Amino acid sequence: MTRNEELFSRAQKTIPGGVNSPVRAFRSVGGAPCFFASGSGARVRDADGKEYIDYVGSWGPLILGHADADTVRAVQEAAMKGLSFGAPTEAEIELAELLVRRVPSMEMVRLVSSGTEATMSAIRLARGFTGRDAIIKFEGCYHGHGDSLLVKAGSGLLTFGNPSSAGVPADLAQHTLVLDYNDAQGLRDAFAKHGKTIACVIVEPVAGNMNLIAPKPEFLAAMRELCTQHGSVLIFDEVMTGFRVGPGSAQGLYGITPDLSTFGKVVGGGMPLGAFGGRRDIMEKIAPLGPVYQAGTLSGNPLSVAAGLVTLKKVGAPGFYDALTAKTRTLVDGLAAAAKKRGVKFSAQSVGGMFGVYFAATPPTSYAEVMASDKEAFNRFFHAMLDAGFYLAPSAFEAGFVSAAHSDADIAATIAAADAIFAAG
Ligand SMILES: *Cc1c(COP(=O)(O)O)cnc(C)c1O
């Protein structure tokens, strides 16, 4: 038994499934998960001492790579001054000011401790602001594990949803309408039928939780227009895309101004931190200013804020995203070219520092298309890459991430390894 396998069987005795978040269990790809012992730059080392080039980056936060020296130092310095106060600190203001400067749609922002908290709070705020209960989300988009969001489409077109998890009351799920991603007409139809009752539309402006699905520009534009027309709040869930796809996040990249935005992952630089913010008139409805309650004992935690500040300052360097985008594109172009040369049905694409690889002839544009990709082929590829020392997300339905710490040589080695795997069939 490997040390990973030993740890996995021990973990399963006290932790459900042996993991503290389900996708880590490798259920989708099979086998024992890697238990990581350490990480540095683009590399992680598992409990067996095997080293991998990492394309997960803790599911997105580690845009500077593992254990970035400046981030670690800032966290250490903050820790020496106190781990938590449950009272305001000056650093929180600095982070809030930086966020509203980088993301012009945000006039005010509140810090929380996870992406889930950010989306749950933004939805409550949208409901409180509009006085409406219904929300629209899109199939395949993930917005954390809040009750209103663990919902799948209802039986007929334009009918409200059913819980996708046990424990979510059907009474709550029936306020969530689940539509198809990239289907502008479906959205128009939904607003025509239910417009007056829709509190908000929440969307991943680039979908990254059903592998990567790029938005059609007309989809995001229609969403903006319909929300404005019907007095509904447009929420861009940028927990994954925030400071990952460009300096102004996805809203900057596509030139769409949401009413509220949610952040997590990169904004905390690897520490637990989320944020939600937007229009001042909406944000002023939150307690203590307004009637929408939201709070957190560890919100704005000094260590998380310190990590977030350093990370956002470093990604603000001139040319940071040009370099990251180019490097990520080199990776996906190289993988696609290798597959083509070897006659493998495969495609790949990237947006900024996130990417998708698909065992399908062309990159999917919808949930149905991505579900039709060859999952077994992905699983074989995943395990072959893992053996070769490359850690990809352990599921065909997750996006991948490149960090500033990945070198050109790392990228070239990854393409060469994939080429060898494609060649072997
Ligand atoms: C990861 C993610 C979340 C949830 O964030 P957590 O920090 O895991 O709670 C929400 N929305 C999107 C788009 C995400 O990618």
Side-chain angles (χ1 to χ4, degrees), residues 114-117 119 142-145 204 209 237 239-240 265:
S114 71
T116 294
E117 260 189 273
T119 57
Y142 176 69
H143 304 291
H145 59 90
E204 288 183 70
N209 286 287
D237 179 359
V239 172
M240 184 183 288
K265 300 194 170 119

Side-chain angles (χ1 to χ4, degrees), residues 335-344 419 422:
L335 293 174
K340 189 168 179 202
K341 187 174 70 185
R342 306 297 182 181
V344 175
D419 183 54
F422 291 144

